[in-house]
Amino acid sequence: MNYSKKIVEVIIEESVPVAIVSVGRPDIYTDTLKAAGIKVLHAISTPRHGQKAEAAGVDAVICEGFEAGGHKGFTELTTLTLTPMVADAVDVPVIAGGGIGDARGVLAVMALGAEGVYMGTRFMVTRESDSHSRVKQAIAEIKDVRTVSVPKDYMLARDLINGFTKEYLNMRQAGASNSDLKAFLNGHSQYHSQHLGLADEAEICCGQVAGLINEVKSAGEVINEIAEIINEKFEALHQRLSVFL
Ligand SMILES: Cc1cc2nc3c(=O)[nH]c(=O)nc-3n(C[C@H](O)[C@H](O)[C@H](O)COP(=O)(O)O)c2cc1C
């Protein structure tokens, strides 16, 4: 049995209420999950894929912009452009992900047509996250541009620039074979960074928003800070926009 099929079986068995499905066709698991009463959110990176997911019956789509950490499609649409395009293309709720780290990002994607937000890197750098403390520290220390888009044979990943990305990208440039690249990836995977703490030698997926994260906070603090200042940010925006009113 393949790995994703097994995961679907387990989440049905455990009555997980919401499933986020990504990297693949939306018609493979949607019916099975929905028949079990599970809400299905499908991650996409183009408006056309949003429409395909909607046609497959998903409850909402998550649009992941190019800024996002981790694995995504080969398109380079940013959250700023992708979110309104998807909001215009589908009727199901749109959740925006990629580059959101605080109340300003939440407000921005809501203005673009999102009904919810999806934040990965910010929560990875929280006390509750299972990421290794050296990984969290490496991200919290970033003050500027420190991520790079890394092509793999089946998709793009956005990673922290470190010894791993430099070596992997050099190998690709030098024409390394697919099997050599794969072996290198397997030997320097996120298991090695996130669990063993090899923050320079192994791959660390993280988004451009890393440059906004200065501190390892609790997940509750991240949420509360957004809730506390979003009104203030909204009022300030309203004032600025008053020239049009
Ligand atoms: C450590 C890490 C691993 C990720 N792995 C995957 C993955 O395997 N598949 C996937 O579809 N998205 C993956 N993502 C992307 C997230 O699901 C999410 O779209 C992204 O983190 C949102 O952008 P942000 O990091 O700017 O908040 C990963 C993100 C991070 C930070």
Side-chain angles (χ1 to χ4, degrees):
M1 182 186 292
N2 73 34
Y3 184 61
S4 55
K5 205 168 170 190
K6 184 74 197 159
I7 290 175
V8 168
E9 274 189 18
V10 172
I11 64 174
I12 291 172
E13 216 172 277
E14 296 291 329
S15 304
V16 174
V18 180
I20 295 173
V21 186
S22 72
V23 194
R25 283 170 35 195
D27 55 353
I28 299 178
Y29 295 120
T30 303
D31 284 347
T32 314
L33 290 163
K34 291 205 54 112
I38 296 171
K39 295 259 182 252
V40 180
L41 277 49
H42 198 90
I44 49 102
S45 53
T46 68
R48 189 171 63 84
H49 287 144
Q51 287 171 333
K52 280 176 80 172
E54 181 174 44
V58 304
D59 294 286
V61 290
I62 299 172
C63 54
E64 285 180 0
F66 188 54
E67 305 92 324
H71 295 110
K72 51 194 164 279
F74 279 106
T75 65
E76 297 191 355
L77 287 173
T78 59
T79 303
L80 188 69
T81 46
L82 179 64
T83 308
M85 284 163 82
V86 176
D88 285 348
V90 302
D91 289 323
V92 288
V94 173
I95 298 165
I100 304 164
D102 60 24
R104 294 170 294 183
V106 175
L107 211 50
V109 294
M110 293 286 185
L112 294 170
E115 292 186 45
V117 296
Y118 191 55
M119 293 161 63
T121 303
R122 177 60 270 196
F123 285 110
M124 184 171 122
V125 189
T126 56
R127 286 201 280 281
E128 291 84 347
S129 136
D130 280 340
S131 288
H132 196 283
S133 55
R134 280 203 282 273
V135 168
K136 295 180 195 177
Q137 215 39 56
I139 293 175
E141 276 165 13
I142 294 174
K143 297 283 180 290
D144 209 320
V145 189
R146 280 291 307 278
T147 69
V148 65
S149 207
V150 174
K152 299 188 177 168
D153 56 352
Y154 50 100
M155 62 180 98
L156 282 180
R158 179 170 299 286
D159 288 347
L160 180 77
I161 295 172
N162 63 3
F164 159 82
T165 53
K166 284 176 192 149
E167 196 164 343
Y168 178 76
L169 293 171
N170 281 344
M171 281 174 77
R172 276 185 69 96
Q173 189 141 22
S177 68
N178 273 347
S179 61
D180 282 351
L181 290 169
K182 213 169 177 171
F184 183 72
L185 282 172
N186 287 341
H188 302 81
S189 69
Q190 289 219 82
Y191 170 79
H192 298 86
S193 59
Q194 302 280 11
H195 295 281
L196 304 182
L198 300 174
D200 188 53
E201 303 87 332
E203 179 174 26
I204 299 176
C205 286
C206 75
Q208 292 180 349
V209 74
L212 263 186
I213 301 168
N214 307 315
E215 220 187 305
V216 183
K217 298 179 176 173
S218 76
E221 276 174 293
V222 173
I223 300 274
N224 288 337
E225 277 173 21
I226 290 174
E228 271 162 28
I229 64 168
I230 201 152
N231 257 338
E232 182 193 309
K233 294 283 172 201
F234 181 73
E235 285 304 325
L237 188 60
H238 194 252
Q239 286 290 322
R240 250 175 277 153
L241 292 175
S242 63
V243 287
F244 297 110
L245 302 175

